[in-house]
Amino acid sequence: MGGAVSAGEDNDELIDNLKEAQYIRTELVEQAFRAIDRADYYLEEFKDSAYKDLAWKHGNIHLSAPCIYSEVMEALDLQPGLSFLNLGSGTGYLSSMVGLILGPFGVNHGVELHSDVIEYAKQKLDFFIKTSDSFDKFEFCEPSFVIGNCLEISPDCTQYDRVYCGAGVQKEHEDYMKSLLKVGGILVMPLEEKLTKITRTGPSAWETKKIIAVSFAPLIQPNHTDSGKSRLVHL
């Protein structure tokens, strides 16, 4: 998925291209994208591809195309102090960009299925905090990552202002995803091959907007333990 804009020579050029093509439309989103170098989330031997508008996958590590992340960030309509839940938080690239906008009073949670990817995300977060010039220019809401299947979040978990799911959601799980959202909140997810924005306008009222056609690997169904009980994810 991707290839909507031409390749840049560096991170700033990639962002320039995304702006020119109208994928990045607001200053807050632009600042977050410029602050975090996409190449830092690639393994060393694949960094040549970092500024192409293409998805990248290596084992369990996965990054969506920059044009997809741009659409997601814009659709989430992020503001300081909000709570954010990233389902399938992966490398932490998106969670870190979101954290730059949420600021010190936000909440920034990620749920990730693969323990090796959580380790990778923690290393990348550590690297960003220790080495990035831009880190000092923002008040950062540091993401925290929890291992588990995002379809098994504990029912007593609080609801969030913003939720993103980075895997294809089957129609049967749409209501579950909506249940994670506060009234007034926004959910962005790939639903039936379309990146979809759902706004919760009341306790049982919703507004749905299709953004762009996308192709995401589907959510992995929970694999229940031998006792038949699911492993609930506590945030």
Side-chain angles (χ1 to χ4, degrees):
M1 194 60 226
V5 302
S6 53
E9 289 295 310
D10 59 23
N11 199 62
D12 277 326
E13 212 167 282
L14 170 65
I15 310 314
D16 291 343
N17 293 341
L18 290 166
K19 268 188 76 179
E20 195 178 328
Q22 290 286 299
Y23 284 100
I24 292 177
R25 301 181 285 278
T26 58
E27 198 175 325
L28 272 181
V29 170
E30 180 187 347
Q31 287 171 348
F33 267 87
R34 289 200 191 278
I36 296 184
D37 194 322
R38 184 174 163 90
D40 290 343
Y41 288 79
Y42 276 66
L43 290 166
E44 199 61 48
E45 61 268 37
F46 299 103
K47 285 193 174 180
D48 289 354
S49 306
Y51 307 120
K52 294 175 182 166
D53 188 25
L54 295 170
W56 173 65
K57 190 166 177 18
H58 183 77
N60 291 325
I61 301 166
H62 177 262
L63 281 166
S64 291
C67 69
I68 301 295
Y69 283 132
S70 314
E71 288 287 9
V72 168
M73 289 280 285
E74 292 288 0
L76 284 168
D77 188 19
L78 297 158
Q79 292 141 32
L82 296 180
S83 56
F84 173 64
L85 176 61
N86 188 355
L87 303 173
S89 50
T91 64
Y93 172 63
L94 178 71
S95 290
S96 290
M97 287 197 290
V98 169
L100 295 173
I101 297 176
L102 296 182
F105 305 111
V107 172
N108 193 354
H109 291 164
V111 178
E112 170 56 47
L113 192 59
H114 302 289
S115 56
D116 59 326
V117 180
I118 285 203
E119 277 314 303
Y120 188 85
K122 286 178 176 172
Q123 286 166 18
K124 296 299 174 190
L125 177 62
D126 196 47
F127 180 79
F128 169 66
I129 289 170
K130 286 180 174 162
T131 67
S132 171
D133 292 340
S134 57
F135 178 70
D136 297 329
K137 297 173 188 162
F138 292 84
E139 292 197 89
F140 187 46
C141 180
E142 189 174 322
S144 59
F145 304 112
V146 175
I147 188 162
N149 187 306
C150 68
L151 291 172
E152 297 187 301
I153 290 170
S154 171
D156 59 9
C157 155
T158 59
Q159 292 173 315
Y160 290 80
D161 297 303
R162 300 290 185 268
V163 178
Y164 171 64
C165 182
V169 177
Q170 298 86 347
K171 192 74 182 163
E172 72 217 56
H173 297 305
E174 182 180 350
D175 286 346
Y176 168 85
M177 293 291 172
K178 287 174 169 179
S179 74
L180 300 170
L181 208 56
K182 288 180 186 175
V183 172
I186 294 171
L187 163 66
V188 178
M189 62 182 175
L191 182 67
E192 299 183 310
E193 306 290 300
K194 294 270 196 315
L195 190 66
T196 303
K197 174 180 180 174
I198 297 176
T199 306
R200 186 169 196 169
T201 55
S204 53
W206 312 87
E207 271 176 18
T208 301
K209 181 186 175 198
K210 306 283 185 194
I211 302 172
I212 46 170
V214 289
S215 174
F216 275 68
L219 279 172
I220 293 171
Q221 302 301 312
N223 180 10
H224 289 162
T225 53
D226 296 336
S227 64
K229 289 180 183 162
S230 61
R231 299 183 186 87
L232 286 181
V233 177
H234 296 276
L235 293 158

